[in-house]
Amino acid sequence: MSGTFLGMPTAPPRGTGNIRGSEPFPAAARTELGNAQLRRNVGKATRTIRDKRIAVTGELPDWEELRSAGAAIKRDVLSRLPDLLEQFEQAVTARGGTVHWARDAAEANAIVTRLVRGTGSDEVLKVKSMATQEIGLNEHLADEGITAIETDLAELIVQLGADRPSHILVPAIHRNRAEIREIFLRAMPGVDPDLDDDPAHLADASRRFLRDRFMRARVAISGANFGVADTGTLSVVESEGNGRMCLTMPETLITVMGLEKLIPSYADLEVFLQLLPRSSTGERMNPYTSMWTGVTPGDGPGEFHLVLLDNGRTATLADEVGREALHCIRCSACLNVCPVYERTGGHAYGSTYPGPIGAVLTPQLAGMDTGSGDPNGSLPYASSLCGACFDACPVKIDIPSLLVELRHQHVEQAGFDAEQALMKAASAAMASAGRWTAAQRAAQLGRLLGRGGRIRALPPPGSAWTSARDLPVPPKRTFRQWWDSAEGRAAIERARREGGAR
Amino acid sequence: MRVALFATCLGDTLFPDAIQATALLLSRLGQDVVFPEAQTCCGQMHVNTGYQREALPLVENHAACFADESIDAVVVPSGSCAGSIRHQHEIVAERFGRPGLRDQVVRSRAKTYELAEFLVDVLGVVDVGATFPHRVTYHPTCHSLRMLRVGDKPLRLLRAVREIDLVELPEADQCCGFGGTFALKNADTSTAMLSDKLRNVGATDAEYCTAGDSSCLMHIGGGLSRLQTGVGTKHLAEILATTERTIAPKQGALA
Ligand code: SF4
């Protein structure tokens, strides 16, 4: 996005990067639904994590209160984000870190590239990070001649497989171990050619591969799960310990953090460090929690840079209803319970953020450009509104209501089309009982379409229904016709007497 | 109690048996059932598809119909329509409505109940005197379960039915894939969800699958019919309204 400043207040810019798919959700979903292996892999994995999460959240007597506390802290952060960001910047700077502000993906990528270049290194280690995926950092660095190596096992599988992540927490959830073995044999330098698909052996192979890189790395790039405003502390939460290696071994550490990851004080970590692991991996506590504040001479990286990323977040914050999506702590619980995600997997969403939260966050960050058939405009509809995501979310984001709100915004922005005409006609027909009964009589003509009480084929758009399901033939009489009939009156009278006799 | 029946647009037009059953059941339980003729639709389809502006006249009509002080309670045999009235009417009224509509909406909402809620919470009955000698499985429907939190109220009502063989539905709380216009806009995903639901219904060997929402039953029933499973669907109200007298002569005597 070009930053021509015209001296007038403008709407905050929308985000750019990997937050827009190439085709609408229904089309992308159809492709993924055809992949039986993917459906089995994703279904099995989500079911396992789902059950574990329910077990460990059920253990805490105050789980609901914790969720409310998490939501309240996030609401507080968003209500005074500018002040907290300033406080945060001062705290980081005071402890020897350097803060950079990035409006969009291009700016963030340019800042990181410049910083890496400054170290003289052409190789960087990566800690799994959603923010850097969102801005497409690895691809950008590759174009600039810098090799980025992912150190999270699942992320490494995706990287070596020249694939895209399909889950927030388990990016390679769509792969099984036979596929992973194949990827390693094909793409991992120096791998043992006799490698089998035992998970321990696969993990061991990746460990050998990464150890080398850890020993020689001079620069690492991380994301952040939390940034603490009053102390300037950053935190990364992980399972494997590879992240900790990256955060401590290199000379220079660059962290890219979305603006909304801020929490007011150190004490608030207590709430989120309980909510996050239980919601994401179904563990009581994650194995590794790293925290660092600026730089400490003789201990850890000597140089620390923090890139604070907007990329559509300010625009999202401006939406009074939709800003709730910024509460998200990326635990992925909503993905694991979503029946749509379970069937289609993450790629169908076309964005770094898949699943229910992605369906809300992606169009908010990047916009829906509704006139142009933007795939992001299809995302708010990629849900049956079953509500499972709301129940699972540790910070109580009302995703179904947000989806409905975004659908409203989409319709308000979109031009006139066939669907709108239908909806307007239906609204007019239902606005009064007189017109409604006339419409019902017309519907009863539908009786002509059916045989044996069932309609098996309809013209479009009804054909989408009859592709897999019958439709009942409209009955001879509507309810209100029965109610108004002598027979109806007699039946009600009889029921009254029966009840009285009981 | 003077109880107004909200038939819902779908129930009135396509599933009158479920609404008749509700009217008969409530009458049998001693309620003075009325049917405000001006009613049409709660506007759920419009709101859920993004057409809040188009939902406004429906919300206005609904509120005008049911805010009336002579009505003590409004009963809706549909979890999703009750959910819409409870959670969405106020949003529409505030955004687009004339002054005063919001108050009217709040008044109508305060006395609106989904059928199972009304029976258990308001009337305080669990045994409604029904007899239904069939093997039945219950699908909780997402909006009843998560928007209204009806919990096990429908199951408690069903357990009290005489001669019923109630079997648990595996993965009951999974969405059937209907989701209103979702079934049309994302037909492939919806079908994938439906086929898992049908498999689970099949595993119960039930004769009927029941639920508190005709729309979900239309979806599940449409699938069962397409696969020619022989398994039927019945709205919860139809089972609860069936007594020994209504069974005796022949099936479908309610119609
Ligand atoms: S929306 Fe809630 S459940 Fe989903 S990833 Fe974010 S915090 Fe987790």
Side-chain angles (χ1 to χ4, degrees):
Chain A
M1 198 171 283
S2 77
T4 324
F5 184 65
L6 297 175
M8 281 188 296
T10 47
R14 290 293 182 175
T16 54
N18 295 328
I19 39 180
R20 173 165 278 114
S22 54
E23 53 181 351
F25 185 84
R30 171 176 300 185
T31 314
E32 303 294 323
L33 281 162
N35 183 345
Q37 183 66 54
L38 172 135
R39 244 165 102 180
R40 264 195 301 277
N41 294 350
V42 175
K44 191 167 162 235
T46 53
R47 212 160 298 148
T48 310
I49 315 178
R50 200 152 72 207
D51 293 345
K52 276 172 71 183
R53 179 184 60 84
I54 289 171
V56 299
T57 56
E59 285 174 355
L60 290 187
D62 59 347
W63 181 249
E64 287 310 311
E65 286 81 1
L66 271 172
R67 287 177 76 205
S68 301
I73 294 170
K74 283 294 186 177
R75 207 173 310 119
D76 172 47
V77 168
L78 295 183
S79 70
R80 53 190 182 107
L81 192 61
D83 291 348
L84 286 175
L85 282 169
E86 263 177 49
Q87 188 191 5
F88 185 46
E89 179 180 29
Q90 274 163 20
V92 173
T93 311
R95 297 295 300 266
T98 311
V99 176
H100 311 259
W101 298 82
R103 252 183 312 188
D104 58 15
E107 273 191 20
N109 285 331
I111 294 168
V112 176
T113 307
R114 181 166 48 75
L115 291 171
V116 176
R117 281 255 166 75
T119 67
S121 175
D122 59 1
E123 184 178 281
V124 295
L125 289 190
K126 293 271 315 290
V127 188
K128 177 182 161 354
S129 140
M130 302 302 294
T132 60
Q133 242 156 45
E134 176 187 324
I135 59 176
L137 180 63
N138 289 8
E139 296 80 1
H140 179 83
L141 289 176
D143 288 346
E144 300 283 325
I146 299 166
T147 311
I149 299 161
E150 293 289 350
T151 61
D152 173 87
L153 176 53
E155 204 65 66
L156 180 65
I157 293 166
V158 169
Q159 189 180 39
L160 292 175
D163 199 355
R164 285 181 300 146
S166 66
H167 189 278
I168 293 180
L169 191 81
V170 202
I173 196 169
H174 56 295
R175 299 291 198 181
N176 63 23
R177 50 194 166 110
E179 292 172 287
I180 294 167
R181 170 180 173 266
E182 235 171 77
I183 291 170
F184 279 12
L185 286 176
R186 185 161 22 94
M188 187 181 274
V191 76
D192 173 3
D194 292 329
L195 179 70
D196 60 22
D197 68 0
D198 182 325
H201 297 163
L202 292 172
D204 200 48
S206 73
R207 192 170 300 132
R208 275 169 210 281
F209 169 76
L210 288 174
R211 174 134 325 153
D212 239 25
R213 271 82 195 161
F214 286 133
M215 298 316 285
R216 68 174 191 231
R218 285 162 49 205
V219 193
I221 300 173
S222 86
N225 289 99
F226 307 103
V228 182
D230 68 353
T231 59
T233 304
L234 277 299
S235 176
V236 160
V237 170
E238 43 136 7
S239 298
E240 295 166 2
N242 291 337
R244 170 161 298 178
M245 299 283 278
C246 294
L247 296 166
T248 49
M249 306 263 300
E251 293 150 21
T252 301
L253 175 61
I254 304 167
T255 298
V256 183
M257 177 185 127
L259 297 182
E260 82 289 8
K261 291 291 172 105
L262 213 55
I263 56 174
S265 74
Y266 207 81
D268 297 319
L269 277 171
E270 180 242 359
V271 172
F272 294 105
L273 291 180
Q274 293 185 74
L275 287 173
L276 183 56
R278 287 184 196 253
S279 303
S280 58
T281 50
E283 293 167 301
R284 298 187 179 89
M285 190 72 219
N286 49 289
Y288 298 88
T289 301
S290 304
M291 296 188 211
W292 68 101
T293 312
V295 291
T296 309
D299 182 13
E303 229 186 279
F304 171 57
H305 294 273
L306 176 63
V307 181
L308 284 170
L309 178 69
D310 184 332
N311 208 33
R313 284 159 178 80
T314 308
T316 306
L317 188 65
D319 177 354
E320 257 176 68
V321 181
R323 70 167 62 139
E324 197 184 335
L326 295 177
H327 290 190
C328 178
I329 57 172
R330 312 279 190 266
C331 73
S332 75
C334 58
L335 277 63
N336 299 330
V337 297
C338 175
V340 173
Y341 177 86
E342 185 182 332
R343 287 2 181 254
T344 64
H347 292 160
Y349 295 80
S351 159
T352 293
Y353 304 105
I357 187 61
V360 176
L361 197 57
T362 299
Q364 286 194 284
L365 291 176
M368 294 188 271
D369 290 344
T370 45
S372 63
D374 180 352
N376 278 358
S378 68
L379 289 178
Y381 300 91
S383 164
S384 65
L385 303 180
C386 82
C389 47
F390 185 17
D391 276 9
C393 179
V395 285
K396 292 194 169 172
I397 302 176
D398 184 353
I399 297 175
S401 294
L402 294 183
L403 288 166
V404 168
E405 168 66 21
L406 284 179
R407 291 176 185 188
H408 162 71
Q409 293 180 10
H410 180 258
V411 166
E412 291 277 296
Q413 292 159 22
F416 190 79
D417 68 2
E419 181 186 286
Q420 266 197 11
L422 265 170
M423 287 291 175
K424 278 194 204 303
S427 166
M430 287 167 157
S432 89
R435 268 174 276 161
W436 171 232
T437 45
Q440 283 181 317
R441 271 194 289 281
Q444 282 172 331
L445 285 176
R447 293 175 60 76
L448 301 175
L449 293 170
R451 237 178 243 158
R454 293 277 151 185
I455 297 171
R456 302 177 61 95
L458 282 174
S463 55
W465 179 272
T466 51
S467 65
R469 334 152 178 78
D470 293 341
L471 198 68
V473 166
K476 281 201 203 80
R477 248 192 324 207
T478 61
F479 170 76
R480 71 179 70 217
Q481 285 168 330
W482 176 84
W483 178 264
D484 278 339
S485 69
E487 190 193 331
R489 280 189 290 273
I492 292 289
E493 197 39 52
R494 217 171 25 247
R496 278 208 185 112
R497 278 201 309 275
E498 238 179 82
R502 270 209 319 147
Chain B
M1 219 190 289
R2 196 169 153 83
V3 178
L5 192 58
F6 174 44
T8 79
C9 61
L10 191 75
D12 186 8
T13 314
L14 278 185
F15 300 97
D17 287 1
I19 315 302
Q20 284 170 30
T22 308
L24 294 172
L25 173 65
L26 293 173
S27 302
R28 212 175 67 216
L29 293 172
Q31 306 308 304
D32 176 17
V33 180
V34 295
F35 181 78
E37 300 268 350
Q39 64 176 281
T40 61
C41 167
C42 65
Q44 183 195 181
M45 174 185 74
H46 283 93
V47 176
N48 280 353
T49 314
Y51 292 85
Q52 290 191 18
R53 204 179 282 279
E54 286 73 16
L56 177 65
L58 312 188
V59 171
E60 279 175 336
N61 184 61
H62 186 91
C65 235
F66 293 101
D68 186 342
E69 274 171 31
S70 70
I71 296 171
D72 300 312
V74 183
V75 173
V76 195
S78 158
S80 60
C81 299
S84 175
I85 293 162
R86 205 165 288 172
H87 296 286
Q88 300 180 330
H89 278 197
E90 194 178 346
I91 296 172
V92 174
E94 251 180 35
R95 183 169 267 157
F96 296 115
R98 55 177 159 75
L101 177 61
R102 193 184 156 271
D103 288 349
Q104 210 177 12
V105 157
V106 169
R107 260 184 288 134
S108 114
R109 177 183 70 191
K111 56 185 172 186
T112 297
Y113 301 91
E114 184 270 343
L115 177 62
E117 284 178 339
F118 182 73
L119 296 174
V120 176
D121 293 346
V122 181
L123 297 187
V125 289
V126 170
D127 180 356
V128 296
T131 301
F132 194 74
H134 297 282
R135 192 170 167 94
V136 173
T137 194
Y138 169 73
H139 168 61
T141 83
C142 302
H143 287 165
S144 297
L145 195 67
R146 304 198 184 89
M147 239 176 153
L148 298 180
R149 309 268 171 212
V150 298
D152 68 345
K153 284 165 204 163
L155 281 169
R156 280 159 64 197
L157 291 160
L158 283 168
R159 282 192 208 110
V161 172
R162 277 158 207 78
E163 296 176 48
I164 197 169
D165 178 9
L166 192 63
V167 274
E168 195 183 321
L169 179 64
E171 297 180 33
D173 61 357
Q174 292 284 309
C175 176
C176 71
F178 173 58
T181 47
F182 173 77
L184 302 178
K185 285 179 181 276
N186 283 284
D188 298 306
T189 311
S190 167
T191 303
M193 290 157 71
L194 175 63
S195 53
D196 288 343
K197 184 57 72 180
L198 297 180
R199 185 171 38 76
N200 284 320
V201 171
T204 64
D205 261 332
E207 294 164 71
Y208 294 104
C209 175
T210 189
D213 218 312
S214 293
S215 55
C216 308
L217 287 177
M218 176 172 75
H219 190 236
I220 296 171
L224 290 168
S225 153
R226 175 61 54 90
L227 297 181
Q228 303 190 312
T229 55
V231 184
T233 49
K234 269 200 191 297
H235 192 285
L236 178 67
E238 292 179 79
I239 293 178
L240 297 180
T242 307
T243 62
E244 263 166 80
R245 289 178 45 138
T246 46
I247 304 168
K250 63 172 169 54
Q251 273 303 310
L254 283 174

